[in-house]
Amino acid sequence: MSDYLTSHRLFYDAVETGDADLMASLWVDDADTSCVHPGATPLRGTAQVLRSWTVLMANVGYIQFFLTDVEVTTFPRGADEPTTAVVSCTENILSGEGLSAEAFSGGKLVCTSILVKEPGGWKFWSRHASPIAELHIEDEDSA
Amino acid sequence: MSDYLTSHRLFYDAVETGDADLMASLWVDDADTSCVHPGATPLRGTAQVLRSWTVLMANVGYIQFFLTDVEVTTFPRGADEPTTAVVSCTENILSGEGLSAEAFSGGKLVCTSILVKEPGGWKFWSRHASPIAELHIEDEDSA
C-alpha cells in the first residue's frame, strides 16, 4: 500500500480505537489545516481539529469504518515523487450509542482528504466529510 | 488577485450567468476529476461533472453567490511557483425558483475546491460542497 494510503487507513484506525496520540501524529501541525465534519463549518488549525476528534472519540462507544469507492490523485500529476495526495472515499459507518450516531448522519458519508508529504511521512492537511442525502443531482448512467 | 482565485471566482460567474462554455473552460479535462454536490455522491470525470452543472444551470432562474471565509493553501507549501491550490469558502447563496433551492440546501454551503496549474491557466480538479446543518460538533472558542 502506498504511504499516503497507509496514513489514510491509520486515520480510521485512530478513530476506531480512540487513539488520540495516533490521530495527532497523522496531522500536519499548522494553523491553516482544516477539518469539515458532516454538516458543520470548517475547523481551522491542528489544535482545534484534534480537539474535535478527541471529543468525538470520547463520545463514541463503538465505531467501525468500511471504506468504498476509494480514489486517489497525486500532485504534481505525473510526478515520480508527489508532494500532495487527494483521497476521496465513501465511509460506511457502523456505530454504537452516543454523539456519533447523529454526528455521522446515518452511517454514510463522502469524504475528501488532502495529505501532504512531510519529513515524518504523509500527514493530513485537510478533510471534508459530508452526509449523503436522498436528494441527488440528476445523474443518468447512460445518456 | 492571484490566478487561482481568479479561476475560483470565474466558476461562480459561470453558474450565475449560466455560461456552460465558461464552466467547461475552468475544469481540467480528465476522467479522474470529481465534483461532490451537496448531499450527493461524487461525480467522476469532467464530462459527467459538466453535465451536472449544465442541468443545474438550466434549472436555476436566478442565483448569486456571496463568498465568505475564503481560505487558500498552495502546494508544494512554500513554493514560489505552486502547482496546486486548495480553496475553501462558505457559499452564501441567493436563488430563485427551481431545482436550486433544494439542491443548494437552504442557501449556505461549505466548499473545498482543488485547482491545479495547467498550461492554459488554473483549472478545477475537484470540488466538494456540503450543506451546513444546525448540528455542530462541539467547538468552544475558549478552553
Side-chain angles (χ1 to χ4, degrees):
Chain A
M1 190 183 291
S2 60
D3 291 346
Y4 39 83
L5 283 177
T6 300
S7 294
H8 190 255
R9 181 61 241 178
L10 285 171
F11 172 91
Y12 295 98
D13 290 350
V15 180
E16 288 175 354
T17 62
D19 189 335
D21 291 336
L22 176 57
M23 177 62 80
S25 76
L26 293 169
W27 284 81
V28 179
D29 187 8
D30 195 284
D32 290 329
T33 56
S34 72
C35 183
V36 179
H37 290 292
T41 52
L43 302 176
R44 300 272 174 207
T46 305
Q48 198 176 18
V49 170
L50 292 179
R51 189 171 57 192
S52 75
W53 283 106
T54 300
V55 170
L56 269 168
M57 293 189 295
N59 283 279
V60 169
Y62 166 81
I63 189 163
Q64 191 168 2
F65 292 85
F66 300 90
L67 304 186
T68 54
D69 310 312
V70 178
E71 301 275 351
V72 185
T73 310
T74 57
F75 299 97
R77 285 196 294 148
D80 287 338
E81 297 198 358
T83 58
T84 311
V86 177
V87 184
S88 70
C89 65
T90 301
E91 301 174 351
N92 306 274
I93 301 168
L94 283 180
S95 65
E97 57 192 341
L99 175 65
S100 64
E102 270 201 311
F104 287 126
S105 302
K108 201 163 185 180
L109 302 174
V110 54
C111 185
T112 303
S113 298
I114 301 171
L115 292 88
V116 298
K117 192 170 188 178
E118 296 275 293
W122 285 86
K123 310 275 187 180
F124 279 75
W125 177 264
S126 79
R127 182 184 143 85
H128 185 153
S130 61
I132 299 173
E134 292 307 305
L135 173 71
H136 287 272
I137 303 302
E138 184 176 332
D139 171 24
E140 305 139 296
D141 280 341
S142 57
Chain B
M1 189 184 290
S2 61
D3 291 345
Y4 40 82
L5 283 177
T6 300
S7 294
H8 190 256
R9 181 60 241 179
L10 285 172
F11 173 91
Y12 294 98
D13 291 349
V15 181
E16 288 175 354
T17 62
D19 189 336
D21 291 336
L22 176 57
M23 178 62 80
S25 75
L26 293 169
W27 284 82
V28 179
D29 186 9
D30 196 284
D32 290 329
T33 57
S34 71
C35 183
V36 179
H37 290 293
T41 52
L43 301 176
R44 301 270 175 210
T46 305
Q48 197 176 19
V49 170
L50 292 179
R51 189 170 58 191
S52 75
W53 283 106
T54 300
V55 170
L56 270 168
M57 294 189 294
N59 285 278
V60 168
Y62 166 81
I63 190 163
Q64 191 169 3
F65 292 85
F66 300 91
L67 304 186
T68 54
D69 311 313
V70 178
E71 301 274 351
V72 185
T73 310
T74 57
F75 299 96
R77 285 195 296 147
D80 287 337
E81 297 199 357
T83 57
T84 310
V86 177
V87 183
S88 71
C89 65
T90 301
E91 301 174 351
N92 306 274
I93 300 168
L94 283 179
S95 65
E97 57 191 340
L99 176 64
S100 63
E102 270 203 309
F104 286 127
S105 302
K108 201 164 185 179
L109 302 174
V110 56
C111 185
T112 303
S113 298
I114 300 171
L115 292 87
V116 297
K117 192 171 190 178
E118 295 277 291
W122 285 85
K123 310 275 187 180
F124 278 76
W125 178 264
S126 79
R127 180 184 145 86
H128 185 153
S130 61
I132 299 172
E134 291 308 303
L135 174 71
H136 288 273
I137 304 301
E138 183 175 336
D139 171 26
E140 307 140 294
D141 280 341
S142 59

